[in-house]
Amino acid sequence: MAARLSQLRITGGVRLRGSIDISGAKNAALPIMSAALLCGETLTLENVPALMDVVTMTRLLEGMGVKASALQSGHLTLNGADIHHPDAPYELVRTMRASILVLGPLLARCGRAKVSLPGGCAIGQRPVDQHLKGLIAMGAQIRVEHGDIHARCTRLKGARIVMDLVTVTGTENLMMAATLADGETVLENAAREPEVLDLARCLQAMGAQIEGAGTDTIRVVGVQHLHAARYAVMPDRIETGTYLVAAAATGGEVLLTGAAPQTLDATLEKLREAGAQIECTDQSIHLKMHGRAKAVSLRTAPYPAFATDMQAQFMALDCVAEGTGVITETIFENRFMHALELQRLGADINIQGHTAVVRGLPRLQGATVMATDLRASASLVVAALVAEGQTTIDRIYHLDRGYESLEKKLTALGATVERIG
Ligand code: UD1
């Protein structure tokens, strides 16, 4: 986790080869960490990735009174015995939208919360109306004033909540709030992402009564207290997918261990379509790519369909594949910013609204490009690995938010990569 002004310099043209371990999932670790607010005893976590977002979430929780140990070899303990300041300030929320995940737990545990509104971000508006609607249905009083959400309640009450759209952190927030509510909460049109299931399993280990996580109907019967637990965060399916795409784009062969192949069906299917040979065990994925990839078309949608967090990386793959790929983004309205940067490397991409038509070229050329968000940055890394010559990626603090030991892992796979600054 280096300074914000670092750049990554990659010399392309090497086929990735070798084996690396996959880290714990950022998008599971963040909600699970905020679950520590629900309980007065210690939550002991394993397989927590060393990422900037995890540091930010730790700071956020510490500001509220949570006692946190230093993150070491994936271990982190969080003790929420004394939550004296249920406030998520703008300085932290603006650097990490997932900060909104503290709202439900704070309200359920303390009966009050002040959380700064996340605001817009590079990939789109990302409102939190569904989070608020659900909490109001559970009896919370909420007003938004001067950019802050102010929420209050006595004890939250179980309710049947039909979400207007599928939201991952919205589902997680409401599921956490419901664990301490009075009576039964039913969440309809819930997100089915594996990270929601991972959070539910951690909450169950803490004594919560939850059924149906991983389906679109989740039932939670509130309890009076949650208790201490130990839980290992699931493997990161997006990190896994990113290394698989990088290996496929470079015509390489990699073995990823400590992975969860069962959470990657849509990604693996597209990689096979691109020509990769893939074999999985319970916890590992072996990918071998013969020659140049074939372009694939895809459409992002909520799990189990193709993940929006993998869209940018596949666009980079299509840029150097044989044929033309059509990529449609249905989750976020402004998630093609990487396309402009990929064009700086010579890519042929034509964007019409939510659809990008990518004509594969035999090669890209190295250039200086700018990371705009986390997964956009990952696509630039993939493209840089196949481009001729050197590519310098600016603003890589985005990558540090979500990829643990990126240079170390890429180097272990044979890439020529260095961090500057
Ligand atoms: C989570 C992931 C993010 C991923 C995204 C979609 C975490 C920490 N982040 O983000 O990596 O890209 O899921 O898989 O888990 N929406 C509303 N109102 C709401 C909530 C969401 O309109 O109250 C919209 C959003 O603007 C977006 C769509 O719903 O268009 C899905 O967003 P959502 O699933 O909530 O994304 P996050 O949970 O923020």
Side-chain angles (χ1 to χ4, degrees):
M1 282 169 282
R4 292 173 74 86
L5 294 173
S6 305
Q7 297 174 319
L8 210 59
R9 184 173 291 161
I10 297 178
T11 308
V14 178
R15 290 168 195 261
L16 295 189
R17 268 179 208 288
S19 170
I20 53 167
D21 240 339
I22 292 305
S23 299
K26 170 179 90 71
N27 286 355
L30 298 177
I32 286 174
M33 287 172 72
S34 59
L37 292 167
L38 288 165
C39 158
E41 299 175 16
T42 300
L43 181 60
T44 304
L45 300 177
E46 294 166 19
N47 207 30
V48 179
L51 298 171
M52 218 36 236
D53 273 9
V54 167
V55 173
T56 306
M57 183 56 92
T58 307
R59 280 192 197 136
L60 190 64
L61 297 177
E62 283 178 330
M64 296 168 187
V66 171
K67 298 270 182 302
S69 66
L71 175 63
Q72 245 177 1
S73 358
H75 281 70
L76 180 67
T77 61
L78 298 166
N79 182 293
D82 178 25
I83 309 297
H84 50 75
H85 190 62
D87 183 352
Y90 184 60
E91 302 83 77
L92 292 174
V93 175
R94 76 189 171 96
T95 64
M96 187 182 70
R97 287 188 43 89
S99 306
I100 190 71
L101 284 163
V102 300
L103 179 61
L106 282 178
L107 203 50
R109 175 90 186 287
C110 310
R112 66 196 170 96
K114 181 176 156 213
V115 177
S116 195
L117 262 184
C121 73
I123 62 174
Q125 276 187 27
R126 300 177 86 172
V128 292
D129 56 304
Q130 298 302 308
H131 303 233
L132 304 189
K133 176 183 129 169
L135 293 171
I136 290 168
M138 295 170 80
Q141 291 170 350
I142 295 186
R143 65 192 160 84
V144 180
E145 236 173 52
H146 305 296
D148 292 320
I149 302 164
H150 298 262
R152 279 195 171 272
C153 63
T154 44
R155 188 177 176 196
L156 290 173
K157 289 180 193 50
R160 179 167 173 269
I161 301 162
V162 183
M163 279 177 273
D164 298 349
L165 46 80
V166 176
T167 156
V168 178
T169 49
T171 301
E172 292 167 342
N173 232 338
L174 298 179
M175 183 168 74
M176 286 191 279
T179 59
L180 294 181
D182 184 15
E184 186 185 53
T185 299
V186 182
L187 302 177
E188 304 274 11
N189 200 21
R192 290 181 284 169
E193 266 67 3
E195 292 77 10
V196 175
L197 180 56
D198 209 40
L199 170 64
R201 286 186 173 142
C202 177
L203 293 167
Q204 283 164 340
M206 295 165 75
Q209 292 187 16
I210 303 174
E211 265 177 32
T215 75
D216 60 8
T217 304
I218 302 178
R219 288 173 191 277
V220 185
V221 177
V223 295
Q224 288 289 341
H225 301 285
L226 296 182
H227 55 68
R230 173 179 283 271
Y231 193 76
V233 175
M234 66 176 280
D236 196 312
R237 64 193 169 103
I238 308 301
E239 186 201 26
T240 309
T242 302
Y243 285 109
L244 291 174
V245 171
T250 60
E253 178 173 1
V254 294
L255 174 68
L256 306 183
T257 52
Q262 66 282 10
T263 63
L264 277 139
D265 286 343
T267 294
L268 298 182
E269 195 181 307
K270 285 294 162 193
L271 283 165
R272 287 192 173 108
E273 205 180 308
Q277 197 183 314
I278 297 175
E279 273 157 39
C280 301
T281 67
D282 273 2
Q283 294 184 356
S284 75
I285 305 176
H286 178 263
L287 175 144
K288 189 172 182 180
M289 189 75 187
H290 300 280
R292 195 172 161 199
K294 291 191 276 292
V296 290
S297 293
L298 56 91
R299 183 184 176 82
T300 65
Y303 191 84
F306 190 91
T308 175
D309 284 351
M310 283 304 304
Q311 178 258 105
Q313 299 88 318
F314 270 85
M315 187 182 289
L317 178 66
D318 275 352
C319 287
V320 290
E322 218 177 302
T324 298
V326 179
I327 295 181
T328 307
E329 172 61 53
T330 74
I331 307 287
F332 293 113
E333 71 269 25
N334 190 22
R335 211 173 195 182
F336 281 148
M337 298 214 304
H338 44 282
L340 299 172
E341 300 299 310
L342 291 169
Q343 282 167 349
R344 287 183 52 75
L345 301 175
D348 182 346
I349 305 169
N350 194 336
I351 295 179
Q352 300 280 336
H354 294 301
T355 300
V357 179
V358 187
R359 278 201 327 131
L361 301 170
R363 60 188 62 84
L364 299 175
Q365 299 106 41
T368 297
V369 289
M370 194 175 75
T372 49
D373 71 66
L374 173 54
R375 306 307 168 184
S377 321
S379 79
L380 298 178
V381 171
V382 172
L385 288 167
V386 285
E388 279 176 351
Q390 269 189 357
T391 296
T392 304
I393 306 175
D394 242 333
R395 298 200 186 172
I396 57 158
Y397 55 87
H398 289 294
L399 282 165
D400 293 330
R401 288 189 42 217
Y403 289 90
E404 185 178 41
S405 310
L406 179 72
E407 305 99 280
K408 218 165 113 193
K409 291 189 184 187
L410 285 173
T411 306
L413 296 177
T416 311
V417 48
E418 63 178 322
R419 185 183 285 256
I420 315 159

